[in-house]
Amino acid sequence: MSLLDRGIQIKTPEQIAGMRRAGLVVGETLELLRSSVRAGMTTGELDAIAEDNIRSSGATPSFKGYHGFPGSICASVNDEVVHGIPGGRTLADGDLVSIDCGAIVPDDSGRGWHGDAAVTVAIGEVPAEVTELMRVTEEAMWRGIGAARLGGRVTDISHAVESHVRSQGAYGILEDYVGHGIGSEMHQPPNVPNVGRPGRGPKLVRGLALAVEPMVTLGGKDTVVLDDDWTVITADGTWAAHFEHTFTLTPTGTWVLTALDGGESALTALGVPFGGS
């Protein structure tokens, strides 16, 4: 069965360039939020900053209205892992907030292309174990992206993410929430799990774009969805971190479409060829 038969979208170089434009809006918005977040502000204020920046950049928030989601970002605090609805919650010194952001940029034909990324930010001083959780989760994301090669398989990414997290301590890795294909829709096949054996799943080919997003906890992997039908929290109440980038593979290497430098610095540190422009 071909990738197209599986519903997997393969983009042209011009379409990938459109995704890069969306990715830059997402990357710039996340950097703005990272520098803006502080104790005393609400998650709704963060959302307003994000929406204003996305729209002023000529893009549309991917999340707003998606299956009824009311925000332009997801803002998940402490034991909230993903899909936190921004609103009146006031952030305090010592909190951990994961910010997930998406944007759509139209091309000349009017078709929209998506970027999707996430960061986790500590507000003020947090315990050393929380700082370590953030480090491990972000490094696992980069190890996953760095494991991708043309001709490889999707679970090469999964295996690299899981192997790094397991090597760092007794962390929980969410299995029910995964990375995904991305392009003219925010969520497309194939799924990109954060655990698994290598060498399985669809082949990694030029024109495929994937979002890699490990979600890691200080405790177990089990989660509960709150009554708002969106916010995912850890079942054991432990804190979580979430990092995400959208990337693609080119003939010369890996190009991280939502990183402002294309991922060059992180990939170079891993010894991975950079394929951006």
PDB file of all heavy atoms in Angstrom, residues 43-44 69-71 73-76 80 82-89 228-231:
ATOM      1  N   THR A  43      -3.620  32.760  31.880  1.00  0.00           N
ATOM      2  CA  THR A  43      -3.412  32.031  30.626  1.00  0.00           C
ATOM      3  C   THR A  43      -4.210  32.667  29.498  1.00  0.00           C
ATOM      4  O   THR A  43      -3.812  32.594  28.337  1.00  0.00           O
ATOM      5  CB  THR A  43      -3.791  30.550  30.796  1.00  0.00           C
ATOM      6  OG1 THR A  43      -5.144  30.455  31.278  1.00  0.00           O
ATOM      7  CG2 THR A  43      -2.859  29.852  31.775  1.00  0.00           C
ATOM      8  N   GLY A  44      -5.313  33.319  29.832  1.00  0.00           N
ATOM      9  CA  GLY A  44      -6.070  34.048  28.817  1.00  0.00           C
ATOM     10  C   GLY A  44      -5.303  35.230  28.246  1.00  0.00           C
ATOM     11  O   GLY A  44      -5.415  35.538  27.053  1.00  0.00           O
ATOM     12  N   PHE A  69     -12.588  24.055  20.005  1.00  0.00           N
ATOM     13  CA  PHE A  69     -11.629  24.566  20.992  1.00  0.00           C
ATOM     14  C   PHE A  69     -11.672  26.095  20.991  1.00  0.00           C
ATOM     15  O   PHE A  69     -11.602  26.723  19.935  1.00  0.00           O
ATOM     16  CB  PHE A  69     -10.218  24.075  20.684  1.00  0.00           C
ATOM     17  CG  PHE A  69      -9.220  24.377  21.770  1.00  0.00           C
ATOM     18  CD1 PHE A  69      -9.165  23.587  22.909  1.00  0.00           C
ATOM     19  CD2 PHE A  69      -8.357  25.457  21.675  1.00  0.00           C
ATOM     20  CE1 PHE A  69      -8.268  23.871  23.935  1.00  0.00           C
ATOM     21  CE2 PHE A  69      -7.450  25.741  22.675  1.00  0.00           C
ATOM     22  CZ  PHE A  69      -7.407  24.940  23.808  1.00  0.00           C
ATOM     23  N   PRO A  70     -11.758  26.732  22.178  1.00  0.00           N
ATOM     24  CA  PRO A  70     -11.992  28.175  22.214  1.00  0.00           C
ATOM     25  C   PRO A  70     -10.749  29.054  22.157  1.00  0.00           C
ATOM     26  O   PRO A  70     -10.872  30.272  22.015  1.00  0.00           O
ATOM     27  CB  PRO A  70     -12.696  28.366  23.563  1.00  0.00           C
ATOM     28  CG  PRO A  70     -12.148  27.273  24.430  1.00  0.00           C
ATOM     29  CD  PRO A  70     -11.929  26.110  23.506  1.00  0.00           C
ATOM     30  N   GLY A  71      -9.554  28.487  22.308  1.00  0.00           N
ATOM     31  CA  GLY A  71      -8.353  29.305  22.397  1.00  0.00           C
ATOM     32  C   GLY A  71      -7.493  29.269  21.151  1.00  0.00           C
ATOM     33  O   GLY A  71      -7.654  28.418  20.265  1.00  0.00           O
ATOM     34  N   ILE A  73      -4.144  29.168  21.674  1.00  0.00           N
ATOM     35  CA  ILE A  73      -3.085  28.291  22.160  1.00  0.00           C
ATOM     36  C   ILE A  73      -3.698  27.301  23.143  1.00  0.00           C
ATOM     37  O   ILE A  73      -4.818  27.495  23.632  1.00  0.00           O
ATOM     38  CB  ILE A  73      -1.949  29.068  22.870  1.00  0.00           C
ATOM     39  CG1 ILE A  73      -2.509  29.843  24.091  1.00  0.00           C
ATOM     40  CG2 ILE A  73      -1.212  29.975  21.904  1.00  0.00           C
ATOM     41  CD1 ILE A  73      -1.434  30.433  24.998  1.00  0.00           C
ATOM     42  N   CYS A  74      -2.969  26.252  23.439  1.00  0.00           N
ATOM     43  CA  CYS A  74      -3.249  25.421  24.603  1.00  0.00           C
ATOM     44  C   CYS A  74      -2.257  25.842  25.688  1.00  0.00           C
ATOM     45  O   CYS A  74      -1.059  25.980  25.410  1.00  0.00           O
ATOM     46  CB  CYS A  74      -3.058  23.943  24.297  1.00  0.00           C
ATOM     47  SG  CYS A  74      -4.146  23.289  23.021  1.00  0.00           S
ATOM     48  N   ALA A  75      -2.767  26.054  26.888  1.00  0.00           N
ATOM     49  CA  ALA A  75      -1.920  26.445  28.016  1.00  0.00           C
ATOM     50  C   ALA A  75      -2.182  25.466  29.159  1.00  0.00           C
ATOM     51  O   ALA A  75      -3.236  25.521  29.796  1.00  0.00           O
ATOM     52  CB  ALA A  75      -2.222  27.874  28.443  1.00  0.00           C
ATOM     53  N   SER A  76      -1.235  24.568  29.394  1.00  0.00           N
ATOM     54  CA  SER A  76      -1.413  23.467  30.339  1.00  0.00           C
ATOM     55  C   SER A  76      -0.453  23.659  31.505  1.00  0.00           C
ATOM     56  O   SER A  76       0.765  23.739  31.301  1.00  0.00           O
ATOM     57  CB  SER A  76      -1.149  22.142  29.640  1.00  0.00           C
ATOM     58  OG  SER A  76      -1.932  22.031  28.453  1.00  0.00           O
ATOM     59  N   GLU A  80      -1.368  19.449  34.340  1.00  0.00           N
ATOM     60  CA  GLU A  80      -2.053  19.427  33.046  1.00  0.00           C
ATOM     61  C   GLU A  80      -1.009  19.137  31.974  1.00  0.00           C
ATOM     62  O   GLU A  80      -0.015  19.847  31.863  1.00  0.00           O
ATOM     63  CB  GLU A  80      -2.743  20.757  32.783  1.00  0.00           C
ATOM     64  CG  GLU A  80      -3.814  21.101  33.814  1.00  0.00           C
ATOM     65  CD  GLU A  80      -4.369  22.501  33.658  1.00  0.00           C
ATOM     66  OE1 GLU A  80      -3.852  23.268  32.816  1.00  0.00           O
ATOM     67  OE2 GLU A  80      -5.328  22.828  34.386  1.00  0.00           O
ATOM     68  N   VAL A  82      -1.608  18.376  28.341  1.00  0.00           N
ATOM     69  CA  VAL A  82      -1.899  18.989  27.041  1.00  0.00           C
ATOM     70  C   VAL A  82      -3.348  19.471  27.011  1.00  0.00           C
ATOM     71  O   VAL A  82      -4.173  19.058  27.823  1.00  0.00           O
ATOM     72  CB  VAL A  82      -1.673  18.016  25.862  1.00  0.00           C
ATOM     73  CG1 VAL A  82      -0.199  17.793  25.607  1.00  0.00           C
ATOM     74  CG2 VAL A  82      -2.395  16.692  26.081  1.00  0.00           C
ATOM     75  N   HIS A  83      -3.629  20.321  26.014  1.00  0.00           N
ATOM     76  CA  HIS A  83      -4.981  20.763  25.665  1.00  0.00           C
ATOM     77  C   HIS A  83      -5.646  21.611  26.744  1.00  0.00           C
ATOM     78  O   HIS A  83      -6.877  21.715  26.793  1.00  0.00           O
ATOM     79  CB  HIS A  83      -5.885  19.562  25.317  1.00  0.00           C
ATOM     80  CG  HIS A  83      -5.350  18.700  24.227  1.00  0.00           C
ATOM     81  ND1 HIS A  83      -5.783  17.413  24.007  1.00  0.00           N
ATOM     82  CD2 HIS A  83      -4.391  18.938  23.284  1.00  0.00           C
ATOM     83  CE1 HIS A  83      -5.132  16.873  22.988  1.00  0.00           C
ATOM     84  NE2 HIS A  83      -4.280  17.796  22.531  1.00  0.00           N
ATOM     85  N   GLY A  84      -4.839  22.255  27.598  1.00  0.00           N
ATOM     86  CA  GLY A  84      -5.400  23.163  28.583  1.00  0.00           C
ATOM     87  C   GLY A  84      -6.036  24.368  27.913  1.00  0.00           C
ATOM     88  O   GLY A  84      -5.440  24.985  27.020  1.00  0.00           O
ATOM     89  N   ILE A  85      -7.256  24.708  28.312  1.00  0.00           N
ATOM     90  CA  ILE A  85      -7.973  25.840  27.723  1.00  0.00           C
ATOM     91  C   ILE A  85      -7.517  27.134  28.403  1.00  0.00           C
ATOM     92  O   ILE A  85      -7.611  27.256  29.623  1.00  0.00           O
ATOM     93  CB  ILE A  85      -9.491  25.674  27.897  1.00  0.00           C
ATOM     94  CG1 ILE A  85      -9.978  24.423  27.153  1.00  0.00           C
ATOM     95  CG2 ILE A  85     -10.239  26.910  27.389  1.00  0.00           C
ATOM     96  CD1 ILE A  85     -11.449  24.115  27.380  1.00  0.00           C
ATOM     97  N   PRO A  86      -7.021  28.107  27.650  1.00  0.00           N
ATOM     98  CA  PRO A  86      -6.610  29.368  28.274  1.00  0.00           C
ATOM     99  C   PRO A  86      -7.817  30.151  28.770  1.00  0.00           C
ATOM    100  O   PRO A  86      -8.888  30.119  28.154  1.00  0.00           O
ATOM    101  CB  PRO A  86      -5.896  30.101  27.133  1.00  0.00           C
ATOM    102  CG  PRO A  86      -6.475  29.520  25.880  1.00  0.00           C
ATOM    103  CD  PRO A  86      -6.802  28.097  26.198  1.00  0.00           C
ATOM    104  N   GLY A  87      -7.635  30.842  29.897  1.00  0.00           N
ATOM    105  CA  GLY A  87      -8.745  31.591  30.473  1.00  0.00           C
ATOM    106  C   GLY A  87      -8.318  32.387  31.675  1.00  0.00           C
ATOM    107  O   GLY A  87      -7.307  33.084  31.646  1.00  0.00           O
ATOM    108  N   GLY A  88      -9.046  32.231  32.771  1.00  0.00           N
ATOM    109  CA  GLY A  88      -8.829  33.073  33.936  1.00  0.00           C
ATOM    110  C   GLY A  88      -7.821  32.554  34.933  1.00  0.00           C
ATOM    111  O   GLY A  88      -7.596  33.193  35.975  1.00  0.00           O
ATOM    112  N   ARG A  89      -7.173  31.432  34.656  1.00  0.00           N
ATOM    113  CA  ARG A  89      -6.203  30.907  35.619  1.00  0.00           C
ATOM    114  C   ARG A  89      -4.998  31.837  35.714  1.00  0.00           C
ATOM    115  O   ARG A  89      -4.347  32.152  34.704  1.00  0.00           O
ATOM    116  CB  ARG A  89      -5.756  29.510  35.223  1.00  0.00           C
ATOM    117  CG  ARG A  89      -4.739  28.920  36.204  1.00  0.00           C
ATOM    118  CD  ARG A  89      -4.565  27.447  36.025  1.00  0.00           C
ATOM    119  NE  ARG A  89      -3.666  26.884  37.033  1.00  0.00           N
ATOM    120  CZ  ARG A  89      -3.500  25.587  37.231  1.00  0.00           C
ATOM    121  NH1 ARG A  89      -4.167  24.705  36.495  1.00  0.00           N
ATOM    122  NH2 ARG A  89      -2.673  25.150  38.160  1.00  0.00           N
ATOM    123  N   ASP A 228     -14.149  19.624  31.077  1.00  0.00           N
ATOM    124  CA  ASP A 228     -14.244  20.527  29.927  1.00  0.00           C
ATOM    125  C   ASP A 228     -14.057  19.802  28.601  1.00  0.00           C
ATOM    126  O   ASP A 228     -14.157  20.399  27.530  1.00  0.00           O
ATOM    127  CB  ASP A 228     -13.242  21.687  30.052  1.00  0.00           C
ATOM    128  CG  ASP A 228     -11.777  21.231  30.070  1.00  0.00           C
ATOM    129  OD1 ASP A 228     -11.478  20.095  29.649  1.00  0.00           O
ATOM    130  OD2 ASP A 228     -10.930  22.025  30.515  1.00  0.00           O
ATOM    131  N   ASP A 229     -13.792  18.484  28.677  1.00  0.00           N
ATOM    132  CA  ASP A 229     -13.611  17.605  27.497  1.00  0.00           C
ATOM    133  C   ASP A 229     -12.356  17.919  26.698  1.00  0.00           C
ATOM    134  O   ASP A 229     -12.192  17.433  25.574  1.00  0.00           O
ATOM    135  CB  ASP A 229     -14.837  17.652  26.570  1.00  0.00           C
ATOM    136  CG  ASP A 229     -16.061  17.022  27.191  1.00  0.00           C
ATOM    137  OD1 ASP A 229     -15.905  16.070  27.986  1.00  0.00           O
ATOM    138  OD2 ASP A 229     -17.190  17.490  26.898  1.00  0.00           O
ATOM    139  N   TRP A 230     -11.456  18.713  27.266  1.00  0.00           N
ATOM    140  CA  TRP A 230     -10.221  19.042  26.580  1.00  0.00           C
ATOM    141  C   TRP A 230      -8.984  18.785  27.447  1.00  0.00           C
ATOM    142  O   TRP A 230      -8.078  18.078  27.025  1.00  0.00           O
ATOM    143  CB  TRP A 230     -10.220  20.521  26.140  1.00  0.00           C
ATOM    144  CG  TRP A 230     -11.015  20.778  24.909  1.00  0.00           C
ATOM    145  CD1 TRP A 230     -12.255  21.348  24.829  1.00  0.00           C
ATOM    146  CD2 TRP A 230     -10.640  20.447  23.560  1.00  0.00           C
ATOM    147  NE1 TRP A 230     -12.670  21.408  23.533  1.00  0.00           N
ATOM    148  CE2 TRP A 230     -11.703  20.866  22.723  1.00  0.00           C
ATOM    149  CE3 TRP A 230      -9.523  19.849  22.983  1.00  0.00           C
ATOM    150  CZ2 TRP A 230     -11.678  20.716  21.340  1.00  0.00           C
ATOM    151  CZ3 TRP A 230      -9.487  19.688  21.605  1.00  0.00           C
ATOM    152  CH2 TRP A 230     -10.554  20.108  20.803  1.00  0.00           C
ATOM    153  N   THR A 231      -8.948  19.366  28.630  1.00  0.00           N
ATOM    154  CA  THR A 231      -7.731  19.383  29.432  1.00  0.00           C
ATOM    155  C   THR A 231      -7.361  17.981  29.900  1.00  0.00           C
ATOM    156  O   THR A 231      -8.154  17.298  30.551  1.00  0.00           O
ATOM    157  CB  THR A 231      -7.897  20.300  30.656  1.00  0.00           C
ATOM    158  OG1 THR A 231      -8.348  21.585  30.213  1.00  0.00           O
ATOM    159  CG2 THR A 231      -6.569  20.443  31.397  1.00  0.00           C
TER     160      THR A 231
END
